Amino acid sequence: MSIGHTLLGLLESGPRHGYDLKRTFDEKFGQDRPLHYGQVYSTMSRLLKNGLVEVDGVESEGGPERKRYAITDAGITDVSRWLMQPEKPEPYLQSTLYTKVVLALLTGRSASDLLDSQRSEHLRMMRILTDRKRKGDLADQLICDHALFHLEADLRWLELTAARLGQLAKVMAP
């Protein structure tokens, strides 16, 4: 995820302080990985330097100065361009899981046990996400669906690989 573009997008609804940006980011996108304040302020500094935001005001209500940032026209153009650019699909051709299966076979360990253990872990995570989805709002349901679909694809791969272990062991044999 592009933190800079996300913060720019949040600024389109109006000027905000760094604290407000962090809070909104965490509510909408960072439930599993909240932003650190340092990351917000370093990103805002870079966006300011690049002319994508400007300081809309500075306040100090008995404490440290707080800058309020506003998006510039160049920032709006940059966010629009980023939103319309398709993301590159990730084909997962060099996954850690595949590497572990091959290494288990090459070293005489049980690839079947590895696959069983991984299947259990995937199912555990799917139960957690399903519960979160059931309790969440629409946005949380959508992000959980995204993760669940990826886990389902992994489970299909685990089953297919388990069915082909004998063939794979022959191909991997020295």
Side-chain angles (χ1 to χ4, degrees):
M1 175 189 317
S2 170
I3 303 299
H5 287 110
T6 305
L7 294 177
L8 283 172
L10 293 174
L11 283 172
E12 281 201 48
S13 64
R16 299 178 189 219
H17 297 98
Y19 173 82
D20 296 328
L21 286 167
K22 180 201 174 343
R23 185 176 40 82
T24 304
F25 180 96
D26 289 351
E27 286 172 6
K28 302 287 184 195
F29 311 108
Q31 293 161 341
D32 297 318
R33 271 192 263 166
L35 281 180
H36 296 285
Y37 283 105
Q39 191 173 9
V40 172
Y41 292 110
S42 65
T43 301
M44 296 311 296
S45 177
R46 182 177 43 82
L47 295 172
L48 186 62
K49 179 180 155 191
N50 292 335
L52 302 177
V53 298
E54 60 191 11
V55 175
D56 185 57
V58 178
E59 301 166 2
S60 60
E61 298 168 3
E65 288 187 345
R66 294 176 38 181
K67 293 179 185 174
R68 188 175 55 245
Y69 298 96
I71 191 168
T72 63
D73 289 341
I76 292 170
T77 300
D78 197 55
V79 170
S80 295
R81 189 177 312 121
W82 177 71
L83 286 173
M84 297 313 296
Q85 182 180 9
E87 290 296 312
K88 181 181 176 185
E90 296 181 31
Y92 302 106
L93 291 177
Q94 286 298 323
S95 80
T96 303
L97 191 50
Y98 169 78
T99 301
K100 285 184 171 187
V101 169
V102 171
L103 283 175
L105 291 171
L106 289 174
T107 60
R109 292 179 175 89
S110 174
S112 181
D113 288 348
L114 182 153
L115 291 170
D116 288 343
S117 173
Q118 192 63 52
R119 185 179 306 104
S120 293
E121 184 61 19
H122 270 61
L123 291 171
R124 184 188 72 77
M125 181 55 69
M126 289 177 84
R127 284 190 295 275
I128 291 168
L129 288 169
T130 300
D131 186 55
R132 177 175 162 182
K133 177 183 165 180
R134 196 174 10 258
K135 295 175 183 173
D137 61 12
L138 181 59
D140 212 34
Q141 291 169 17
L142 287 172
I143 195 67
C144 288
D145 280 339
H146 185 264
L148 285 164
F149 291 149
H150 281 276
L151 290 169
E152 286 175 13
D154 286 350
L155 281 175
R156 287 194 311 268
W157 182 85
L158 291 167
E159 295 301 324
L160 181 64
T161 302
R164 293 180 173 171
L165 276 180
Q167 292 173 283
L168 189 56
K170 289 178 188 174
V171 172
M172 296 292 160

